[in-house]
Amino acid sequence: MGEAINFGIDLGTTNSAIAKFVKGDVIIFSNPQDFGRNTLPSVVAYKKDKITVGSKAKEFLEKDPKSVVGVFKRKMGTAESFKIKSINESKTPIELSAQVLKELKTFVNTGENLDAAVITIPASFDTIQSNATKDAGLQAGFKQVVLLQEPIAASLAYANMKKSTEMKDGQWLVYDLGGGTFDVALVKIKDGEMKVLDHEGDNFLGGADFDNLIVEKLLIPKICQSYHFNNLESDMKSASGKYNAKYYLYLRRAEEAKIILSSKTSAEIIVDGIEDENGVDVDIEIIITRSEFNELVKNYIDSTIDMIKKIITRNSLKPSDLEFVLMVGGSTYIPFVRNRVEEVLQIRSNCEIDPTTAVAVGAAYYAATKQKSFKNEDKSNQNSSISIKASYNKASKEKEELFAARVSGDLSGLNYRIVRQDGGFDSGLKKLTERINEDLPLVSGTFNFFTLSVYDQQNNVVQTDLEQIGINSGFAISGQPIPEDICLEVDDYDNPGKTRLKLIFQKNSILPLRSQSISFPLNKGLIKGNADDYIYINVLEGSHLALPEANKGIGFMEIRGNQINRDIAKGSDIEIILSISESRDIAISVYLNMADQEFKQTFNPKERHTPIDFLKEQVDDLSFKLDQEIKEASDKEDYETANSLNRLKKEMDVVNNETSSLTSDDVTDKRYQLEDKKRRIAQEIDLATKNKRLNHVRDNYFKMKEECFEMLNKLGNDHERKYYNDIVSQESAFFATNSPIKIQEKSDELNSLLSGMRWRSPEFLSLLFEWCKNNKVKMNDQSQAKSLIEAGNISIENQNWDRIGEICRGLLNLMPKGTTNDVNTRIGFGL
Amino acid sequence: MNEIKLINIKVPQVYLDLVNQIFEIDKKSSNIKEENSIKRNINKIKNIFEFELFPDLGFDYHNPLGEDYSETRTDCEATISGTNCENLEIVEVIKPIIFCSAINGNQKHKSIVQKAVVVVKSRNN
């Protein structure tokens, strides 16, 4: 037995599609150039050097009819041909259909060579038209073409969807209302044989007419009611009219509204973006109801029903002789279409198949039953000798990059096409010549991949030796990587009064860099006008796992009270964006949400910015910290650490003295030298005390883990257990980093898990409620606090714990923000 | 290695709807003549969509207004206004190009998940 054909093609007047039968099911190939769609507009555009088929060609159909051809299916089998101005040649409907079929071949991503297919034809096609379709298939490179009538294909799709191996004898109508054409056919099945008995159609009726009606009959009159226009309709519809661009915009909005009306009873259309004759901006929302829309399209739908009536009369049938009306074509999604057919004809409408792909699906089912009448040849011709030597910049900051290639081998009859992998660019099919030059548009900030494919005359892929084309845009591949992490010094909420580092750019990131905006709540307020009040933003270079003092400051910015236009409260947000240019300029942009004020500063590493006051403060802090560490190590009888720290103490004292003696307007390099020394000492302290910090965070982690485990057993849910197990399973990995910060992060995660569970614990909630009661005096709104506490007392009596949780949240919201933070740390839950 | 393969990512329509709304606000806010900082909030929301909302997925959009248009631009669905179709420029953007970036290992892949819907017009008109 031969191989089955398996491929089915709906070669439609307006849209085409391709499907394949695979192991009992049919897959519809999606359009690689028009993702999300399974169909290809049956339109072909010719330019001097290339052919474009599909939606891109369709865009130019109306405006460049001399070079772009559509709806040529209607002319199949006639002697008429289309004169194409751009190439100064005529193309027959057969040749144009062959182009569509070739394009459909590129949908097939399974790597198969398409040599046979079932192609559908309208029920109205005569022998000449049918043969012309077959011819188009052969021209497109198929060795075998089997034809199938569209209503039968749709019926097959339905039958297969129903999984009825054999349909019962009977007859029905196939009602096919697409974007631009309408067809209806009477289909009969008898003794397992399905055939079309009669048909009617209108080649100029479809969904596009409905969009037009919405704009013309609803939008334009309503706009003119509220605004002054002399002749809005003609100004919109005329190609040279001043509102012509808006006409297409509103057509699109009308189409969207039409789609919404298929599922909802009303839709709104926003009309804006134009000025009326008096210079008033048009800005109205027009509500269109389903009944208004139904009224608009009624005459059109009734005309389709008249055609059905003709068929019924001609065939001496009663509506009850027909089982159903099978709905095909995108416009049959409109409920009114289905309801009107049912209402007038009293025949059940059947909407069980996908109206846009049913014909291709049916064709594929049919193809599965048809055998290939020839044997597959060896695919040796695929090993082509085409060699392509390409030359292009692998990194570019331009919007477009020139791709040049030299091609060798037998190029006769071959075409090429370049597409961008994200679907944003398609060169169209172009003749392959010895030299190719193409401007490739790039999406910035990403790696752009392009594929150059070579096709033979039948659009079969010809293998070449060219790899994928990759161009990095936005940052140069040869750019410089940063040698160290770049961090921001932020408050360490776990150790109040201390700071930690937040990684902004990781070591080896390629310049230029720009961070996303980083938001923090401020840990203190700023009073307007008070120059002594300040917040600082400190950018540091060095490992993000180290102590802030151990890293090199590369950007520093202060915002003082006298720079702001209103008081800033503690807890309000600050947003920071950092960027580093290729020449290492560091720009900091700081935005204070509450003041709606932005501060910007650019630092050049050559001009190291080290304010002396800030340096003194840091040296004092470090000196104090060193004393504490020495004391702690001596108390613990850790003499080894204490000795190393004592050695550092001497150096620290020198730095301390020298810094103290600096005047704030010192112009020498002394401050930088001292800063370096300070940093080196901090690094040494970091090293000497790392074990201590590690032990501390480890202890903390295990304590948190134990508490969490207990709470999980009492109150945990599956999600929390999974979260807990995930953290615990990574334990060995994050302990192996020996980084206190990493381990602390995991403790924090456990802590937040614990907090979540605590809010379901009666003990915790009673305790929290008591705490809130005791702190009532601090609350902002005493009367609200009182009523919440009264409600809380009742809920405690009733043991209504959900309610108590809500009340506690309410009470905490009444506390000043700072107090809430204290509560968080003291009672040990995060909000 | 020379066959056309595109990365097709399907994302829930509701995300695209949200991004389209941000684009609309962005467009409308740029018409406000009085000084304001709405743009900052928009940028923040865009930032959240691009980097923060999902751990390994991000959405951002591009407004191609004023850019050149030709049939090679498969990132836009265009309607041509006017009579001429040479030297085309995008004059109206109804929906923006929406990109979805997915992080796979160390590599960031960017795909178009919504083509722009635009009206174009010849500069020669």
Side-chain angles (χ1 to χ4, degrees):
Chain A
M1 201 164 96
E3 205 182 326
I5 293 175
N6 287 339
F7 282 96
I9 293 175
D10 171 7
L11 183 60
T13 314
T14 42
N15 285 299
S16 299
I18 182 166
K20 188 192 176 192
F21 179 87
V22 187
K23 293 179 190 159
D25 226 332
V26 167
I27 49 166
I28 305 148
F29 293 99
S30 53
N31 184 342
Q33 308 309 317
D34 218 352
F35 50 83
R37 284 188 197 157
N38 296 318
T39 52
L40 172 79
S42 309
V43 184
V44 186
Y46 287 88
K47 282 213 165 181
K48 266 184 198 138
D49 58 343
K50 66 178 166 189
I51 304 166
T52 313
V53 184
S55 48
K56 288 293 120 182
K58 191 180 166 188
E59 288 171 359
F60 288 79
L61 178 63
E62 233 174 277
K63 299 299 155 84
D64 191 11
K66 288 177 182 161
S67 300
V68 188
V69 200
V71 288
F72 39 81
K73 186 174 159 183
R74 290 179 188 152
K75 303 281 164 65
M76 282 295 258
T78 66
E80 205 172 319
S81 65
F82 299 85
K83 192 150 177 55
I84 315 285
K85 192 183 161 200
S86 57
I87 49 170
N88 209 13
E89 268 179 51
S90 286
K91 294 283 173 192
T92 64
I94 296 176
E95 286 171 307
L96 294 163
S97 299
Q99 285 301 345
V100 173
L101 290 168
K102 284 190 208 171
E103 186 70 19
L104 284 172
K105 280 181 163 184
T106 66
F107 284 28
V108 179
N109 49 14
T110 51
E112 289 164 275
N113 199 10
L114 253 73
D115 47 18
V118 167
I119 300 176
T120 61
I121 47 168
S124 58
F125 263 23
D126 58 24
T127 313
I128 294 173
Q129 289 171 308
S130 306
N131 279 332
T133 306
K134 203 182 247 183
D135 240 20
L138 298 175
Q139 278 193 23
F142 294 106
K143 290 179 191 153
Q144 186 187 353
V145 172
V146 177
L147 300 174
L148 177 70
Q149 286 176 311
E150 284 156 12
I152 299 221
S155 303
L156 275 176
Y158 170 71
N160 278 288
M161 189 207 64
K162 283 289 191 198
K163 299 282 174 209
S164 47
T165 43
E166 204 174 299
M167 282 182 84
K168 284 182 206 150
D169 288 356
Q171 50 198 340
W172 59 88
L173 290 166
V174 176
Y175 181 100
D176 185 350
L177 182 60
T181 53
F182 170 71
D183 280 299
V184 60
L186 173 65
V187 176
K188 183 173 185 171
I189 185 166
K190 196 166 185 232
D191 302 327
E193 194 186 274
M194 209 185 275
K195 64 180 174 187
V196 176
L197 295 181
D198 201 353
H199 57 83
E200 278 285 332
D202 183 341
N203 282 336
F204 300 94
L205 170 61
D209 298 305
F210 305 157
D211 305 337
N212 218 343
L213 279 175
I214 294 177
V215 176
E216 195 179 301
K217 305 283 182 206
L218 282 176
L219 294 192
I220 293 179
K222 285 193 180 176
I223 298 169
C224 291
Q225 265 173 25
S226 311
Y227 298 90
H228 177 68
F229 286 98
N230 293 334
N231 206 343
L232 185 58
E233 187 171 342
S234 64
D235 279 343
M236 279 195 161
K237 288 185 161 179
S238 150
S240 56
K242 57 179 165 182
Y243 302 125
N244 186 241
K246 297 295 167 188
Y247 175 61
Y248 297 112
L249 167 68
Y250 299 150
L251 266 184
R252 167 68 67 160
R253 290 190 179 159
E255 188 192 358
E256 282 171 0
K258 177 185 76 181
I259 293 166
I260 291 171
L261 286 173
S262 292
S263 55
K264 294 190 175 149
T265 50
S266 70
E268 69 176 31
I269 300 174
I270 295 170
V271 180
D272 58 4
I274 49 171
E275 276 184 2
D276 74 0
E277 308 286 349
N278 299 333
V280 177
D281 280 333
V282 173
D283 190 0
I284 45 169
E285 283 176 23
I286 295 174
I287 305 285
I288 161 168
T289 63
R290 195 185 270 179
S291 53
E292 274 177 306
F293 174 72
N294 294 349
E295 200 51 44
L296 275 184
V297 300
K298 188 168 168 281
N299 287 343
Y300 282 81
I301 305 306
D302 284 353
S303 72
T304 66
I305 292 171
D306 289 343
M307 288 185 231
I308 300 179
K309 283 181 181 161
K310 272 190 212 161
I311 291 184
I312 294 177
T313 320
R314 256 201 318 257
N315 292 276
S316 313
L317 295 168
K318 300 188 293 296
S320 58
D321 293 332
L322 298 164
E323 288 178 36
F324 50 77
V325 181
L326 187 61
M327 294 292 180
V328 185
S331 297
T332 60
Y333 278 120
I334 300 170
F336 180 69
V337 173
R338 310 193 298 248
N339 297 340
R340 188 77 183 155
V341 169
E342 283 189 352
E343 186 189 308
V344 178
L345 299 171
Q346 294 295 309
I347 311 170
R348 179 173 70 90
S349 68
N350 184 331
C351 317
E352 290 176 63
I353 46 172
D354 180 343
T356 50
T357 52
V359 172
V361 169
Y365 277 117
Y366 187 64
T369 65
K370 291 282 155 192
Q371 309 299 321
K372 282 186 187 172
S373 57
F374 58 92
K375 277 194 174 173
N376 261 343
E377 283 169 19
D378 183 27
K379 291 177 182 175
S380 56
N381 65 338
Q382 293 225 343
N383 297 324
S384 154
S385 54
I386 298 295
S387 172
I388 302 178
K389 296 269 172 285
S391 150
Y392 57 93
N393 280 339
K394 289 203 162 52
S396 170
K397 281 182 170 180
E398 301 296 322
K399 282 186 172 174
E400 293 188 332
E401 189 55 49
L402 179 71
F403 169 84
R406 197 178 278 236
V407 188
S408 54
D410 180 10
L411 312 185
S412 54
L414 298 182
N415 293 308
Y416 76 96
R417 182 175 193 168
I418 303 178
V419 297
R420 199 170 71 205
Q421 203 170 34
D422 69 0
F425 169 79
D426 178 4
S427 68
L429 211 56
K430 293 179 158 182
K431 193 172 158 40
L432 188 67
T433 50
E434 276 179 21
R435 280 171 193 271
I436 302 174
N437 285 311
E438 196 81 49
D439 280 325
L440 304 179
L442 305 177
V443 179
S444 70
T446 190
F447 226 104
N448 289 260
F449 289 107
F450 295 85
T451 310
L452 187 154
S453 306
V454 174
Y455 297 94
D456 66 11
Q457 272 182 323
Q458 281 81 39
N459 261 21
N460 297 313
V461 173
V462 176
Q463 299 296 319
T464 69
D465 55 358
L466 183 69
E467 291 292 316
Q468 200 168 37
I469 304 161
I471 303 174
N472 203 350
S473 166
F475 50 89
I477 218 170
S478 52
Q480 323 158 50
I482 49 170
E484 296 281 0
D485 293 342
I486 305 285
C487 314
L488 202 61
E489 187 176 3
V490 297
D491 288 315
D492 186 349
Y493 292 110
D494 297 316
N495 297 298
K498 293 189 178 173
T499 57
R500 63 201 256 185
L501 293 175
K502 181 174 173 65
L503 178 68
I504 308 297
F505 303 120
Q506 199 154 20
K507 180 177 172 175
N508 289 336
S509 303
I510 305 289
L511 292 171
L513 292 161
R514 184 185 157 83
S515 76
Q516 37 176 302
S517 102
I518 309 143
S519 299
F520 301 100
L522 283 174
N523 70 340
K524 63 175 181 183
L526 281 183
I527 307 288
K528 182 186 169 188
N530 184 355
D532 295 335
D533 253 357
Y534 70 95
I535 46 173
Y536 70 81
I537 294 99
N538 194 20
V539 184
L540 299 155
E541 188 175 37
S543 165
H544 74 285
L545 300 174
L547 289 174
E549 296 90 338
N551 284 349
K552 195 190 291 175
I554 52 169
F556 179 84
M557 184 168 166
E558 271 175 336
I559 298 169
R560 290 191 175 264
N562 56 358
Q563 293 172 271
I564 54 176
N565 56 21
R566 59 162 295 178
D567 291 352
I568 304 289
K570 177 177 175 181
S572 68
D573 276 345
I574 178 171
E575 280 178 30
I576 300 172
I577 297 175
L578 275 191
S579 51
I580 309 182
S581 71
E582 273 180 314
S583 53
R584 307 283 183 104
D585 289 332
I586 296 153
I588 309 179
S589 147
V590 178
Y591 175 70
L592 292 174
N593 269 11
M594 208 167 157
D596 192 13
Q597 256 184 299
E598 190 174 16
F599 301 88
K600 284 182 177 173
Q601 205 166 331
T602 302
F603 302 92
N604 188 314
K606 275 184 268 173
E607 299 164 16
R608 219 155 115 189
H609 190 76
T610 309
I612 287 177
D613 289 349
F614 182 63
L615 177 67
K616 282 181 179 168
E617 204 176 295
Q618 280 197 320
V619 170
D620 277 350
D621 282 352
L622 192 65
S623 189
F624 177 71
K625 189 174 180 178
L626 181 58
D627 290 343
Q628 271 190 321
E629 295 289 356
I630 292 171
K631 185 173 178 305
E632 216 173 290
S634 309
D635 288 352
K636 283 187 180 165
E637 298 181 359
D638 179 0
Y639 298 115
E640 199 186 331
T641 309
N643 282 342
S644 355
L645 292 172
N646 269 320
R647 273 197 299 277
L648 289 173
K649 174 72 183 157
K650 284 175 200 156
E651 281 183 57
M652 189 75 235
D653 288 343
V654 175
V655 174
N656 214 344
N657 288 336
E658 289 184 9
T659 316
S660 306
S661 62
L662 277 180
T663 55
S664 56
D665 54 355
D666 184 278
V667 289
T668 66
D669 284 348
K670 193 75 186 166
R671 66 174 88 176
Y672 306 121
Q673 292 162 1
L674 288 170
E675 197 203 5
D676 278 348
K677 279 187 188 164
K678 176 220 78 184
R679 203 174 57 248
R680 232 181 10 254
I681 295 170
Q683 281 167 353
E684 303 259 352
I685 300 174
D686 193 19
L687 208 67
T689 57
K690 197 169 183 181
N691 279 341
K692 186 201 85 180
R693 284 187 295 128
L694 257 180
N695 289 338
H696 174 73
V697 291
R698 270 193 191 141
D699 288 350
N700 192 24
Y701 170 82
F702 284 116
K703 211 173 107 201
M704 198 57 75
K705 184 178 158 188
E706 200 182 311
E707 270 185 63
C708 228
F709 185 72
E710 276 173 28
M711 193 61 92
L712 264 181
N713 285 340
K714 272 197 241 163
L715 293 161
N717 59 31
D718 285 352
H719 174 72
E720 285 157 345
R721 267 186 208 99
K722 186 184 175 303
Y723 190 69
Y724 172 84
N725 289 333
D726 283 351
I727 296 176
V728 173
S729 66
Q730 298 161 17
E731 220 169 65
S732 54
F734 59 76
F735 275 131
T737 61
N738 271 339
S739 152
I741 289 177
K742 282 261 181 273
I743 300 168
Q744 185 60 44
E745 271 173 16
K746 294 295 161 186
S747 293
D748 292 348
E749 284 177 29
L750 287 177
N751 190 22
S752 90
L753 184 65
L754 191 60
S755 310
M757 290 188 286
R758 273 178 176 156
W759 277 91
R760 296 197 294 272
S761 150
E763 293 86 359
F764 174 78
L765 289 169
S766 331
L767 200 74
L768 178 61
F769 181 62
E770 277 308 312
W771 187 91
C772 288
K773 275 196 328 195
N774 295 337
N775 285 281
K776 179 174 166 265
V777 279
K778 294 182 191 163
M779 291 178 190
N780 297 330
D781 183 337
Q782 285 296 313
S783 73
Q784 203 188 342
K786 191 174 166 231
S787 59
L788 278 171
I789 287 173
E790 278 166 15
N793 285 331
I794 298 168
S795 303
I796 289 271
E797 270 176 37
N798 300 335
Q799 304 211 337
N800 184 350
W801 301 111
D802 287 347
R803 180 73 187 126
I804 294 166
E806 284 167 22
I807 289 167
C808 286
R809 282 193 176 92
L811 287 169
L812 284 172
N813 280 340
L814 296 178
M815 302 284 268
K817 213 161 187 171
T819 326
T820 318
N821 285 339
D822 292 345
V823 174
N824 292 345
T825 8
R826 234 186 298 153
I827 309 190
F829 59 85
L831 285 177
Chain B
M1 193 50 211
N2 64 349
E3 218 171 318
I4 294 169
K5 277 210 179 96
L6 300 171
I7 301 173
N8 275 347
I9 299 180
K10 274 197 179 155
V11 295
Q13 181 61 35
V14 65
Y15 296 145
L16 303 184
D17 291 346
L18 277 170
V19 178
N20 284 324
Q21 287 306 315
I22 301 168
F23 165 75
E24 282 288 328
I25 299 171
D26 196 356
K27 216 165 77 166
K28 285 181 179 169
S29 75
S30 57
N31 292 334
I32 302 175
K33 291 172 188 87
E34 294 79 35
E35 200 173 307
N36 66 77
S37 57
I38 303 172
K39 188 82 186 162
R40 174 169 292 282
N41 300 83
I42 294 165
N43 287 342
K44 182 73 190 171
I45 302 173
K46 283 174 75 174
N47 210 36
I48 291 172
F49 264 89
E50 193 171 354
F51 301 106
E52 295 171 26
L53 195 59
F54 307 104
D56 43 14
L57 207 68
F59 295 97
D60 63 315
Y61 65 79
H62 173 70
N63 180 354
L65 187 73
E67 293 178 7
D68 291 349
Y69 184 77
S70 76
E71 73 285 354
T72 61
R73 278 197 80 147
T74 39
D75 54 357
C76 297
E77 274 180 41
T79 309
I80 303 164
S81 159
T83 44
N84 198 326
C85 51
E86 298 295 320
N87 191 15
L88 293 168
E89 179 192 6
I90 299 176
V91 292
E92 182 95 46
V93 178
I94 301 160
K95 282 185 179 170
I97 306 166
I98 302 183
F99 294 98
C100 174
S101 42
I103 304 206
N104 189 359
N106 286 330
Q107 273 217 313
K108 190 173 177 184
H109 295 286
K110 220 169 179 184
S111 275
I112 295 173
V113 285
Q114 177 185 285
K115 294 186 176 199
V117 181
V118 299
V119 179
V120 300
K121 204 171 179 178
S122 172
R123 291 187 175 97
N124 309 342
N125 269 346

Short mmCIF file of all heavy atoms in Angstrom, two decimals, chain A residues 48 132 147 292 359 441 661 669 672 741:
data_model
loop_
_atom_site.label_atom_id
_atom_site.label_comp_id
_atom_site.label_asym_id
_atom_site.label_seq_id
_atom_site.Cartn_x
_atom_site.Cartn_y
_atom_site.Cartn_z
N LYS A 48 10.09 44.68 -7.97
CA LYS A 48 11.11 44.37 -8.97
C LYS A 48 11.93 43.15 -8.58
O LYS A 48 12.22 42.29 -9.39
CB LYS A 48 12.04 45.58 -9.13
CG LYS A 48 11.60 46.46 -10.26
CD LYS A 48 12.55 47.59 -10.49
CE LYS A 48 11.84 48.67 -11.30
NZ LYS A 48 12.10 49.99 -10.86
N ALA A 132 -7.75 24.15 -13.49
CA ALA A 132 -6.82 25.27 -13.30
C ALA A 132 -6.24 25.20 -11.88
O ALA A 132 -5.04 25.45 -11.68
CB ALA A 132 -7.56 26.59 -13.50
N LEU A 147 -8.47 17.09 -5.70
CA LEU A 147 -9.37 18.21 -5.40
C LEU A 147 -10.54 17.76 -4.53
O LEU A 147 -10.95 16.60 -4.59
CB LEU A 147 -9.91 18.82 -6.70
CG LEU A 147 -8.84 19.37 -7.64
CD1 LEU A 147 -9.49 19.81 -8.96
CD2 LEU A 147 -8.09 20.54 -7.02
N GLU A 292 -28.29 47.15 18.15
CA GLU A 292 -28.01 48.16 17.11
C GLU A 292 -27.22 47.52 15.96
O GLU A 292 -27.49 47.74 14.79
CB GLU A 292 -27.13 49.29 17.70
CG GLU A 292 -27.89 50.39 18.38
CD GLU A 292 -26.94 51.42 18.98
OE1 GLU A 292 -26.05 51.02 19.76
OE2 GLU A 292 -27.08 52.59 18.67
N VAL A 359 -12.29 23.97 6.75
CA VAL A 359 -12.11 23.45 5.39
C VAL A 359 -10.75 22.77 5.25
O VAL A 359 -10.63 21.65 4.71
CB VAL A 359 -12.31 24.58 4.35
CG1 VAL A 359 -11.94 24.12 2.95
CG2 VAL A 359 -13.76 25.05 4.38
N PRO A 441 16.87 45.05 10.02
CA PRO A 441 16.48 45.90 11.14
C PRO A 441 16.69 45.18 12.48
O PRO A 441 16.41 43.99 12.60
CB PRO A 441 15.00 46.17 10.90
CG PRO A 441 14.54 45.05 10.07
CD PRO A 441 15.71 44.54 9.28
N SER A 661 42.36 65.52 61.05
CA SER A 661 43.09 66.77 60.82
C SER A 661 42.80 67.36 59.43
O SER A 661 43.26 68.46 59.13
CB SER A 661 44.59 66.54 61.00
OG SER A 661 45.00 65.60 60.03
N ASP A 669 45.40 65.17 47.56
CA ASP A 669 44.89 63.82 47.33
C ASP A 669 44.75 63.02 48.62
O ASP A 669 44.43 61.84 48.60
CB ASP A 669 45.86 63.06 46.41
CG ASP A 669 45.70 63.51 44.98
OD1 ASP A 669 44.71 64.22 44.72
OD2 ASP A 669 46.57 63.17 44.15
N TYR A 672 41.78 60.79 49.32
CA TYR A 672 41.66 59.55 48.54
C TYR A 672 42.57 58.47 49.12
O TYR A 672 42.22 57.29 49.18
CB TYR A 672 41.98 59.80 47.07
CG TYR A 672 41.14 60.92 46.49
CD1 TYR A 672 41.73 62.05 45.96
CD2 TYR A 672 39.75 60.84 46.53
CE1 TYR A 672 40.96 63.09 45.46
CE2 TYR A 672 38.96 61.86 46.03
CZ TYR A 672 39.56 62.99 45.50
OH TYR A 672 38.79 64.00 45.01
N ILE A 741 25.71 36.85 53.76
CA ILE A 741 24.55 37.50 53.15
C ILE A 741 23.60 36.48 52.54
O ILE A 741 22.39 36.55 52.70
CB ILE A 741 25.02 38.54 52.12
CG1 ILE A 741 25.64 39.70 52.87
CG2 ILE A 741 23.88 39.02 51.24
CD1 ILE A 741 26.22 40.78 52.03
#
